[in-house]
Amino acid sequence: MTNNRRRFLQTLGSGIAGTAFVPTNIWARTKAPLSVAFEDLKISDNSETYWEMVQSQFNFADGLTYFNNGSLGACPAPIREATMNFRNTLDDFPSKYMWGGWKDEIEEVRKKTADLFSVSAEEIALIHNTTEGMNLIASSMDLQPGDEIISADHEHTSALNPWKYWQESKGTKLVTPTLPILPNSVEEVVSIYRDAISPKTKVISICHLVNTNGMILPVKEVTQMAHENGILVAVDGAQATGMFDIDLKELGCDFYTVSAHKWLFSPKGVGIFYAKQESQRYLKPLIVARGYEDKSIRRLENYNTRNLPEVLGLGAALDFRETIGAKKIHQRSYELKHYFRDKIKDNEKLVLKTPELDSLSAGIQVVEVLGKDVQEVKNRLFDDYGIDSRPMSKFELNAVRLSFAIFVTKKQIDFLVSALENCAK
């Protein structure tokens, strides 16, 4: 075992929060980059022992095995401590830190967020959640009677309802194409959107990864097709961001909005909003406060007072992610996906309702236990095994949704498979 690896295991074993990580000292006092605190953790190990040590930083309730990250993620211990220290700093001197005392630190979080997506910091607003982002887009669009918005049938209600609320009363039309549950190719999905486009289409609202059955939608291909027809593209990225690598310049979409409390493991109530520089002219603030005349994207996040410790906690969460490594997290998502699918592939009573191709699915997999009602399966998994999952009954899925986040180990997947097999008997 190398010295770096030994130091890493010792640090995680004793708890990062109690040893290497003192966020108040780092940000609120010394102003040094938060990433310095994690420097010793940047090693190349990708063993199961490594991931078990990562898991040790997530403190779940006794007896709980958590496969429901797609609903709500957990904060690892160092991020909890970071956020609490930021909160204490704020309450020690409220007026200083609420109005200007953390200006540079917030800009640092903006830059870290921009780097996550390979975009400019001038294209990132730090908002509250995906729902706010979708409302911001839908309320801003100057659509006319007869204009059309494409939003497929698997879109989350928080992405769909803003278009209904802000636009349907104008006489616009919401076009809702039906997506296949188990497409065999990316083109099969792209063709659904191609057939839905008409001369009246102005916006395509698309989910990057649907919450129903974990299907990844081809944002890049749909965006290219949309832009060729003068159509704007707004993306709900709540389930995708943090699960696998995302380069928004490559995807090309106009808007992309995220709840950071899922796969980025940030404090709750923090969101990310991306608007391509040339598309920002379409947007108007949802809330008007001081600074609304600002021409930069910051005008979209001027709430006067807000929960800044959670915003800074997002920065800490991004440093935690960077310590592990974006590439490693991306690979781990697919490693766990394939491990699970291989484990159940020969069991005829466990039927996957998530596309197989890596281009069409990743760290969320949905499985039906044949002959069993999904609510019965969900309840038994929790009551008998302490496994938390999400039942999905829409689109006749009748299946439990399982999220394979970085705190999930292969031992836990073995435990899950055994429980599912018992449910199937």
Side-chain angles (χ1 to χ4, degrees), residues 368-387:
E368 179 182 14
V369 179
L370 284 183
K372 305 289 184 180
D373 178 75
V374 63
Q375 192 62 49
E376 175 191 346
V377 173
K378 184 265 189 299
N379 291 343
R380 187 174 174 193
L381 286 174
F382 184 74
D383 294 341
D384 293 355
Y385 303 97
I387 293 173

Side-chain angles (χ1 to χ4, degrees), residues 115-118 208-209 216-217 219-220 237 239-251 256 263-264 321-322 324-334 358-359 361-363 406:
D115 290 344
L116 172 72
F117 293 116
S118 301
H208 198 169
L209 190 152
I216 298 172
L217 299 184
V219 172
K220 179 180 178 180
Q239 291 290 3
T241 302
M243 182 192 293
F244 49 80
D245 289 342
I246 297 171
D247 184 329
L248 290 180
K249 289 299 184 188
E250 181 180 352
L251 293 185
Y256 195 98
W263 299 86
L264 291 177
R321 171 185 169 81
E322 182 64 23
I324 297 169
K327 184 178 180 180
K328 284 173 71 171
I329 293 172
H330 178 100
Q331 293 173 341
R332 181 66 172 178
S333 295
Y334 285 99
D358 283 351
S359 55
S361 77
I406 58 173

Side-chain angles (χ1 to χ4, degrees), residues 6 19 50 77 84 90 134 202 205 212 243 250 256 265 273 275 308 313 323 333 365 385 409 411:
R6 185 177 294 109
T19 56
Y50 174 96
M84 183 58 67
L90 172 62
M134 295 307 300
K202 302 301 180 184
S205 183
T212 50
M243 182 192 293
E250 181 180 352
Y256 195 98
F265 313 116
F273 185 82
L308 292 178
T323 299
S333 295
Q365 298 292 304
Y385 303 97
T409 65
K411 288 180 182 178

Side-chain angles (χ1 to χ4, degrees), residues 331-370:
Q331 293 173 341
R332 181 66 172 178
S333 295
Y334 285 99
E335 180 183 7
L336 293 178
K337 164 194 169 176
H338 290 294
Y339 185 80
F340 173 71
R341 292 182 72 104
D342 287 345
K343 281 281 183 178
I344 68 170
K345 65 181 180 181
D346 295 325
N347 191 323
E348 294 180 353
K349 292 186 176 182
L350 301 179
V351 179
L352 284 157
K353 297 293 187 72
T354 303
E356 180 179 1
L357 292 177
D358 283 351
S359 55
L360 292 171
S361 77
I364 288 181
Q365 298 292 304
V366 176
V367 61
E368 179 182 14
V369 179
L370 284 183

Side-chain angles (χ1 to χ4, degrees), residues 93-302:
F93 197 161
S95 61
K96 174 182 177 180
Y97 288 102
M98 180 57 69
W99 295 303
W102 275 329
K103 182 177 180 180
D104 291 342
E105 286 78 5
I106 291 170
E107 290 307 311
E108 186 177 344
V109 176
R110 193 187 313 279
K111 179 63 168 61
K112 292 175 187 293
T113 306
D115 290 344
L116 172 72
F117 293 116
S118 301
V119 298
S120 165
E122 297 304 314
E123 296 175 306
I124 295 293
L126 301 171
I127 60 171
H128 293 103
N129 52 38
T130 306
T131 303
E132 179 186 342
M134 295 307 300
N135 272 274
L136 198 163
I137 301 164
S139 65
S140 295
M141 294 297 107
D142 185 22
L143 301 183
Q144 304 301 315
D147 287 345
E148 294 179 354
I149 304 130
I150 294 174
S151 182
D153 60 341
H154 280 255
E155 294 298 305
H156 195 281
T157 54
S158 292
L160 179 65
N161 287 342
W163 293 108
K164 292 182 176 180
Y165 179 82
W166 293 106
Q167 296 296 339
E168 278 192 332
S169 62
K170 298 179 180 180
T172 61
K173 180 182 178 182
L174 199 60
V175 177
T176 309
T178 300
L179 295 175
I181 295 294
L182 293 171
N184 294 310
S185 69
V186 169
E187 172 55 28
E188 186 178 345
V189 182
V190 174
S191 66
I192 300 296
Y193 286 92
R194 182 183 296 114
D195 293 344
I197 291 175
S198 81
K200 296 182 179 180
T201 305
K202 302 301 180 184
V203 181
I204 295 178
S205 183
I206 182 172
C207 195
H208 198 169
L209 190 152
V210 303
N211 78 309
T212 50
N213 75 332
M215 176 168 50
I216 298 172
L217 299 184
V219 172
K220 179 180 178 180
E221 291 81 359
V222 169
T223 297
Q224 182 177 350
M225 177 174 60
H227 286 175
E228 290 171 355
N229 290 275
I231 300 167
L232 294 171
V233 177
V235 183
D236 169 356
Q239 291 290 3
T241 302
M243 182 192 293
F244 49 80
D245 289 342
I246 297 171
D247 184 329
L248 290 180
K249 289 299 184 188
E250 181 180 352
L251 293 185
C253 57
D254 298 280
F255 314 111
Y256 195 98
T257 185
V258 177
S259 293
H261 56 246
K262 293 181 184 285
W263 299 86
L264 291 177
F265 313 116
S266 85
K268 282 62 180 170
V270 184
I272 299 165
F273 185 82
Y274 161 80
K276 185 190 296 185
Q277 194 79 52
E278 52 266 40
S279 301
Q280 291 180 24
R281 59 191 174 91
Y282 295 104
L283 301 174
K284 296 175 287 190
L286 263 178
I287 297 175
V288 178
R290 59 176 181 166
Y292 77 93
E293 304 99 333
D294 189 344
K295 300 301 182 183
S296 80
I297 198 168
R298 292 160 189 80
R299 72 186 186 278
L300 305 178
E301 62 183 38
N302 284 323

